[in-house]
Amino acid sequence: MAEFILLLTTIASVLIVAHCIEHQLIKDQELVTNYSYNSLVSFPNNVSVETTVLDLSHNNITKLETTDLNYLLRLKVLNISNNLLAELNKEIFDSNKRLEHLDLSYNKLENVSCTFPDNLRYLDISYNNFTTLSVCKGLGNLLKLEYLGFGAQQILQSDIEAISPLKLQHVFLNLDTLTHYQNGSLLMLNTDYLHLASLSMKKDIFSLLFDVVNVSESLELSNCAYVLYIENSHLTAIADNSRVINFTMNGLSLPWDLLTSILQVIWHSSVKTFKLSEFTVQGVINKLQFDYSNSSMTEVHLNNIQSKVFFFNQTILYRLFSEMNIKTLIITSANFLFMECPLKPSNFQFLDFSSNAMPDDVFQNCETLINLKTLIMADNKLQRLAKVSSMTNKMISLQHIDVSRNQLDYKEEECSWSQSITKMNLTLCSLTNSVFKCLPKNITWLDLGKNDITFVPLDITYFEKLEYLNLEFNRFFDLPDCTFFPHLIVLQVDHNQIPYPTTEFIHKCNNVSRINMEGNPFHCFCEIRTFIGEVKKSPGKMINWPEKYVCEHPDNLRGVMLADFYMPEIYCNIYILVPVIVVPIIFALVLLFIICKYCDVPWYFKMIWQWTQTKHRTRTSKSHYWELGRDFDFHAFVSYSEHDASWVKEIMLPSIEKMDNSIRICQHERNFLPGRPIVENIINCIEKSYKSIFVLSPHFVQSEWCHYELYFAHQQLFTEKTDNLILILLEQIPQYIIPSKYSRLKSLMAKRTYLEWPKEKSKHGLFWANVRAAISINLSDLHHEISQNDSQALLHDQEDNEDDQAAVSAGRTQS
Ligand SMILES: *[C@@H]1O[C@H](CO)[C@@H](O)[C@H](O)[C@H]1NC(C)=O
Ligand SMILES: *[C@@H]1O[C@H](CO)[C@@H](O)[C@H](O)[C@H]1NC(C)=O
């Protein structure tokens, strides 16, 4: 039972701890509150309780109250540098148990009586107004302290002793106000790195430096112009006492001969790495003897060097460096115009001359750099790639060359690289496709980023050993031809102009393990699907897939990830497109053709069109008749040849009149009044009819009477401006049958304004509907008024029809 309870409590406590850790993780997110450069005169009162980083630097705060900080329980970083604080309350940081980083530099503090939180790792109280470093007495318990910045007018053993138990990493001392240094004080410091700044004291300087070089292996002096006042013999004594290995000087301005003598002293000291930066050379550059022997020196760094000397023998300057028997020489941003070839076989293994102004004449035919492994000449004035290659020609150990950021030009000259080169940086050199003809054969690593290359030319030799090739930010339109690099492992072609890699080149690059193609303007259409398919087949091959691979075109897909892009097969595959889209279209067209051809659809359309037209016309013409005041007894008068009489009587009249008798036709057998002359009968019939129907056939054409009837009807048409003629073409009439004198008939036939009698029975219904529509009108509506001026209308337009009249009379005499 007891065991069971124990188990339960264990589980419970594990859960609670887990919960706390989780809580802690959530709470550990940083909240940065920045009030720097805000002209604050006191602590801001709206700082969030959650704040972990508080920057109050560069303000005018004069005082901190206990209540300002005591609620900021999560505060880890507090920067109040560059303010006007003169004192700190005793309990000021008592609640900020988590405070790790405290910057109180550049204030007006004279004394500090507060207790600092135990968690402090970084404390900067440099550049204040301390008289002594009694503040240190309160720091002895800060066992986590790594960085300490301080300074005072007096440095006394008793003060420094208080912090001697601390194992510090970096100590910074501002010495601008220093007036008194008690011998041996700094020797009590326990630190890996000592940085002294602004040394401005003349008195005691020797004893200070004598101690300083014995505190740690790394020493940095900033803006310490007062080293100028140290005699050479004292310097030597200091150097002999030194255990400094890494020595850095910055912010100095020295005459050339003083610099060389200091350098000479350092050269024979314990220093292995010497760094000089933000340095200005003054005075005259003279040739001075320099003893390179007996040195521990391996590395010299010069960075950001300026010269106030304009006329001097360059060789003297360059020789000082070229003859150094060290492994590493770095001279950057120093405006060096040249560098000499060492006079005898040199120890240089690493040379970095970035950001100078060296031309490609440097190191031509230089046979002494036989140990050189790395040569960095980035950002210089190198111009011709072929000349750069001959520069390396005699460097038999050279492995890595960096000539990036030079305006290089290559005109297909002979290139003669050192055979040992394996790694090359040609970034930002304005190089074009031809660069592939001037590269070291054994290269394994090649950076050609940010150039103007569009493709790999076909007339180059294979780079059997190339494993890494960077072509980012060029102008490739497709993947490069990887067959020239059979053992390539990593290929970078990101940020080029590739809309979609073609299948051919994808396959050529199949052996490459990792490819980066992000940032290309991918064109999301059919072609890119092959690429997407290939990528999905080999996961992990594309670097930064999928989030960095997005469509650029078309506009509506811009920003869509390639991985999410989908285009149905049917849009892209012609073999599917044809059957699915083209075939149905062809089928529909054929069907339409068949329908037209065999079912005479156009005829039906024509008929329906005419029918609607007629309907429309009857509606508008009614009022016309009304105006004419005509009185009609019949809907239509029908004229036909005797030969077609049976068709008229058996088919036409029953079809038009139907059963209801609503339409009345004037047919001469039925409606002609006997005893009256035929002509009178005809005229009467035509006049009493709303329309005249003529059944045209070859027989009709040959019948005089029929033509006579047509003449009258037509006459009426012209006088009343009404198209009251309906022509039904019963049988085709060849033009030649029509006698030439019947010009009116000819012209009517030519206008094709007739209705053709369809042979197919199925079409008869619509045909008759059309005819009925043309003549259908409510005659009783027109009965109201009786016209008196018919004859007057008939006389009109007389001379126009003279030859027709002649034709009629001629015809009658004939029959
Ligand atoms: C104040 O100190 C913090 C922490 O070191 C730093 O990030 C910040 O840049 C400093 N502010 C200024 C203005 O220097
Ligand atoms: C190649 O040169 C460029 C430009 O100088 C530089 O940014 C890059 O770090 C260099 N690459 C390597 C591997 O040194």
Side-chain angles (χ1 to χ4, degrees):
M1 190 64 195
E3 277 163 6
F4 181 68
I5 291 170
L6 188 71
L7 185 69
L8 273 185
T9 38
T10 317
I11 290 172
S13 50
V14 164
L15 285 176
I16 289 165
V17 168
H19 177 78
C20 288
I21 290 172
E22 192 186 6
H23 199 67
Q24 186 79 31
L25 283 178
I26 292 165
K27 284 205 117 185
D28 269 357
Q29 279 169 4
E30 303 286 11
L31 175 66
V32 180
T33 308
N34 191 351
Y35 282 101
S36 61
Y37 296 97
N38 251 303
S39 308
L40 298 175
V41 291
S42 63
F43 197 89
N45 48 20
N46 45 357
V47 178
S48 160
V49 191
E50 301 289 304
T51 302
T52 55
V53 178
L54 179 58
D55 191 345
L56 294 169
S57 61
H58 298 275
N59 282 295
N60 300 319
I61 302 172
T62 49
K63 205 168 186 327
L64 287 186
E65 304 293 344
T66 315
T67 48
D68 290 339
L69 289 166
N70 65 0
Y71 68 100
L72 300 173
L73 302 182
R74 299 187 54 209
L75 198 63
K76 267 163 68 179
V77 177
L78 177 61
N79 187 347
I80 327 186
S81 68
N82 291 283
N83 274 281
L84 303 171
L85 296 179
E87 55 176 333
L88 289 175
N89 286 348
K90 200 169 184 331
E91 305 85 18
I92 186 82
F93 301 117
D94 280 5
S95 306
N96 315 110
K97 296 275 182 252
R98 296 205 189 166
L99 197 63
E100 291 179 0
H101 187 117
L102 178 60
D103 190 347
L104 292 163
S105 61
Y106 294 95
N107 275 285
K108 305 267 181 251
L109 297 173
E110 288 174 12
N111 208 349
V112 174
S113 57
C114 67
T115 328
F116 292 104
D118 288 348
N119 267 323
L120 222 50
R121 293 170 188 274
Y122 181 106
L123 175 63
D124 195 347
I125 47 172
S126 60
Y127 294 102
N128 275 286
N129 295 346
F130 296 115
T131 315
T132 62
L133 286 172
S134 59
V135 58
C136 291
K137 301 217 165 75
L139 304 180
N141 58 330
L142 302 179
L143 295 176
K144 292 185 181 168
L145 203 63
E146 292 164 0
Y147 179 100
L148 177 61
F150 59 173
Q153 290 168 22
Q154 297 176 26
I155 297 178
L156 304 172
Q157 275 196 25
S158 55
D159 292 338
I160 305 294
E161 197 171 11
I163 52 167
S164 63
L166 303 182
K167 177 98 196 59
L168 298 163
Q169 288 175 10
H170 193 130
V171 170
F172 174 83
L173 258 175
N174 69 294
L175 302 174
D176 51 337
T177 53
L178 186 68
T179 53
H180 173 60
Y181 174 76
Q182 185 178 18
N183 284 358
S185 310
L186 289 179
L187 287 177
M188 293 184 183
L189 277 178
N190 186 351
T191 180
D192 297 337
Y193 196 100
L194 180 61
H195 185 177
L196 305 186
S198 326
L199 180 62
S200 61
M201 171 186 72
K202 285 188 209 170
K203 210 173 69 150
D204 301 334
I205 192 165
F206 173 72
S207 51
L208 174 73
L209 288 178
F210 200 80
D211 285 353
V212 157
V213 293
N214 248 311
V215 174
S216 68
E217 291 189 347
S218 300
L219 175 66
E220 179 173 347
L221 298 180
S222 300
N223 308 312
C224 294
Y226 277 76
V227 288
L228 287 176
Y229 295 90
I230 307 169
E231 285 171 36
N232 220 338
S233 58
H234 280 171
L235 268 184
T236 315
I238 292 169
D240 287 346
N241 184 45
S242 161
R243 65 178 186 101
V244 173
I245 290 175
N246 306 308
F247 183 44
T248 305
M249 287 211 296
N250 42 45
L252 273 186
S253 181
L254 288 184
W256 171 255
D257 41 5
L258 191 54
L259 173 70
T260 31
S261 62
I262 292 174
L263 192 58
Q264 182 70 81
V265 172
I266 296 167
W267 205 261
H268 291 138
S269 72
S270 55
V271 173
K272 289 185 177 165
T273 305
F274 175 60
K275 295 184 186 169
L276 187 65
S277 61
E278 281 120 60
F279 179 83
T280 310
V281 185
Q282 303 171 333
V284 195
I285 295 182
N286 294 316
K287 189 162 171 62
L288 297 163
Q289 282 304 317
F290 197 91
D291 179 7
Y292 293 101
S293 64
N294 285 329
S295 180
S296 324
M297 195 68 81
T298 58
E299 244 182 276
V300 171
H301 294 220
L302 269 68
N303 178 38
N304 221 330
I305 310 297
Q306 294 195 347
S307 170
K308 291 240 169 94
V309 191
F310 299 104
F311 302 103
F312 60 94
N313 184 344
Q314 303 264 336
T315 318
I316 297 172
L317 175 65
Y318 305 133
R319 275 275 169 251
L320 176 68
F321 298 100
S322 70
E323 300 315 304
M324 287 177 172
N325 48 347
I326 53 175
K327 282 187 181 167
T328 302
L329 176 62
I330 299 174
I331 301 175
T332 55
S333 303
N335 284 312
F336 272 38
L337 301 174
F338 200 72
M339 184 45 72
E340 294 290 325
C341 175
L343 295 170
K344 51 183 193 300
S346 158
N347 280 341
F348 287 135
Q349 292 185 10
F350 187 103
L351 291 178
D352 182 352
F353 300 131
S354 298
S355 302
N356 282 285
M358 297 191 190
D360 41 26
D361 297 320
V362 168
F363 298 140
Q364 292 293 339
N365 298 312
C366 181
E367 296 182 4
T368 48
L369 289 169
I370 48 172
N371 293 308
L372 191 63
K373 292 200 171 85
T374 302
L375 175 62
I376 300 176
M377 302 269 289
D379 189 21
N380 272 278
K381 296 265 185 290
L382 308 179
Q383 282 177 328
R384 288 169 57 203
L385 189 61
K387 215 157 167 201
V388 174
S389 78
S390 65
M391 174 198 296
T392 69
N393 188 253
K394 306 258 165 45
M395 301 174 180
I396 52 172
S397 304
L398 191 65
Q399 291 172 358
H400 173 197
I401 179 162
D402 182 343
V403 288
S404 61
R405 291 185 280 150
N406 282 284
Q407 287 292 316
L408 287 178
D409 191 19
Y410 176 61
K411 294 234 167 55
E412 317 238 339
E413 305 118 294
E414 192 70 27
C415 288
S416 51
W417 296 99
S418 160
Q419 292 295 307
S420 53
I421 294 177
T422 55
K423 185 174 169 182
M424 196 160 180
N425 193 343
L426 287 168
T427 305
L428 260 170
C429 289
S430 310
L431 290 163
T432 57
N433 300 352
S434 59
V435 66
F436 288 99
K437 295 175 190 169
C438 178
L439 290 174
K441 283 290 123 230
N442 295 322
I443 197 154
T444 61
W445 191 101
L446 175 61
D447 192 341
L448 277 169
K450 300 182 178 143
N451 282 289
D452 291 327
I453 308 170
T454 52
F455 58 89
V456 177
L458 293 174
D459 54 343
I460 62 166
T461 44
Y462 285 53
F463 292 92
E464 292 285 348
K465 295 187 177 159
L466 194 61
E467 293 176 353
Y468 173 91
L469 175 58
N470 188 351
L471 296 167
E472 62 177 21
F473 292 97
N474 274 280
R475 294 195 279 119
F476 276 82
F477 285 92
D478 202 341
L479 278 170
D481 189 343
C482 297
T483 44
F484 290 107
F485 324 112
H487 297 107
L488 201 60
I489 296 171
V490 178
L491 172 64
Q492 307 250 49
V493 272
D494 50 295
H495 302 94
N496 274 271
Q497 302 295 325
I498 308 176
Y500 55 88
T502 55
T503 317
E504 181 193 354
F505 284 91
I506 293 173
H507 287 149
K508 282 182 170 176
C509 293
N510 253 353
N511 290 335
V512 185
S513 317
R514 307 264 290 147
I515 301 181
N516 187 352
M517 288 187 63
E518 66 179 73
N520 275 290
F522 292 113
H523 190 139
C524 290
F525 206 63
C526 294
E527 298 86 347
I528 203 161
R529 296 171 337 131
T530 326
F531 170 62
I532 296 172
E534 292 289 332
V535 172
K536 288 184 174 167
K537 253 191 258 166
S538 34
K541 179 167 175 166
M542 282 294 146
I543 297 168
N544 289 334
W545 177 274
E547 60 281 348
K548 293 286 174 59
Y549 295 71
V550 293
C551 303
E552 173 85 15
H553 303 287
D555 283 352
N556 61 325
L557 290 178
R558 179 169 299 161
V560 171
M561 280 200 273
L562 293 198
D564 296 338
F565 168 71
Y566 171 73
M567 175 146 290
E569 185 68 23
I570 177 162
Y571 290 112
C572 305
N573 192 332
I574 186 96
Y575 299 105
I576 296 186
L577 192 71
V578 168
V580 173
I581 292 177
V582 178
V583 166
I585 289 174
I586 293 174
F587 184 75
L589 288 176
V590 168
L591 201 68
L592 203 63
F593 178 76
I594 290 171
I595 290 172
C596 292
K597 175 95 185 174
Y598 292 97
C599 309
D600 222 352
V601 171
W603 183 87
Y604 283 103
F605 278 125
K606 202 172 102 192
M607 276 312 208
I608 289 167
W609 168 247
Q610 263 176 10
W611 183 74
T612 49
Q613 288 294 101
T614 327
K615 275 280 179 200
H616 177 73
R617 233 180 293 130
T618 33
R619 220 175 295 132
T620 52
S621 60
K622 246 181 217 167
S623 56
H624 180 68
Y625 280 98
W626 191 264
E627 282 160 28
L628 277 174
R630 290 277 305 275
D631 183 16
F632 297 113
D633 287 341
F634 302 100
H635 286 92
F637 158 71
V638 62
S639 163
Y640 52 91
S641 150
E642 222 26 66
H643 281 91
D644 305 320
S646 59
W647 181 83
V648 170
K649 280 183 250 172
E650 282 156 31
I651 297 176
M652 179 182 168
L653 291 179
S655 300
I656 294 181
E657 290 177 332
K658 284 257 171 92
M659 290 107 213
D660 58 356
N661 278 341
S662 65
I663 291 180
R664 280 178 289 148
I665 303 287
C666 179
Q667 188 221 354
H668 65 81
E669 280 180 25
R670 283 194 318 211
N671 304 88
F672 275 25
L673 301 171
R676 292 243 204 128
I678 289 176
V679 180
E680 200 186 316
N681 258 326
I682 289 174
I683 293 175
N684 195 34
C685 211
I686 288 175
E687 277 180 7
K688 287 259 186 268
S689 298
Y690 169 47
K691 296 240 166 154
S692 301
I693 300 173
F694 290 86
V695 181
L696 305 180
S697 70
H699 308 293
F700 181 92
V701 171
Q702 274 140 31
S703 156
E704 290 292 337
W705 277 117
C706 289
H707 197 263
Y708 195 51
E709 286 164 1
L710 182 64
Y711 168 75
F712 274 109
H714 200 248
Q715 188 69 24
Q716 198 184 358
L717 167 74
F718 278 101
T719 53
E720 293 177 3
K721 298 278 183 284
T722 310
D723 53 347
N724 59 351
L725 282 186
I726 296 171
L727 304 179
I728 294 175
L729 189 65
L730 191 60
E731 277 175 55
Q732 286 297 331
I733 308 170
Q735 279 283 321
Y736 65 87
I737 302 187
I738 307 172
S740 58
K741 52 189 178 182
Y742 301 162
S743 60
R744 184 156 325 269
L745 181 61
K746 272 192 168 175
S747 77
L748 280 172
M749 294 286 292
K751 279 191 212 147
R752 301 186 137 267
T753 50
Y754 46 79
L755 292 167
E756 216 175 316
W757 170 243
K759 295 276 172 290
E760 301 89 339
K761 225 180 159 133
S762 58
K763 293 177 180 174
H764 290 175
L766 187 57
F767 178 84
W768 290 125
N770 237 320
V771 175
R772 284 161 63 88
I775 57 175
S776 164
I777 188 168
N778 193 348
L779 293 179
S780 57
D781 282 354
L782 304 173
H783 263 280
H784 296 284
E785 293 200 22
I786 295 160
S787 164
Q788 302 296 320
N789 44 6
D790 287 356
S791 45
Q792 226 176 317
L794 265 171
L795 287 172
H796 193 73
D797 208 13
Q798 199 67 29
E799 61 269 67
D800 231 25
N801 301 300
E802 250 165 22
D803 57 300
D804 289 270
Q805 200 129 30
V808 170
S809 37
R812 187 153 347 130
T813 40
Q814 261 179 21
S815 63

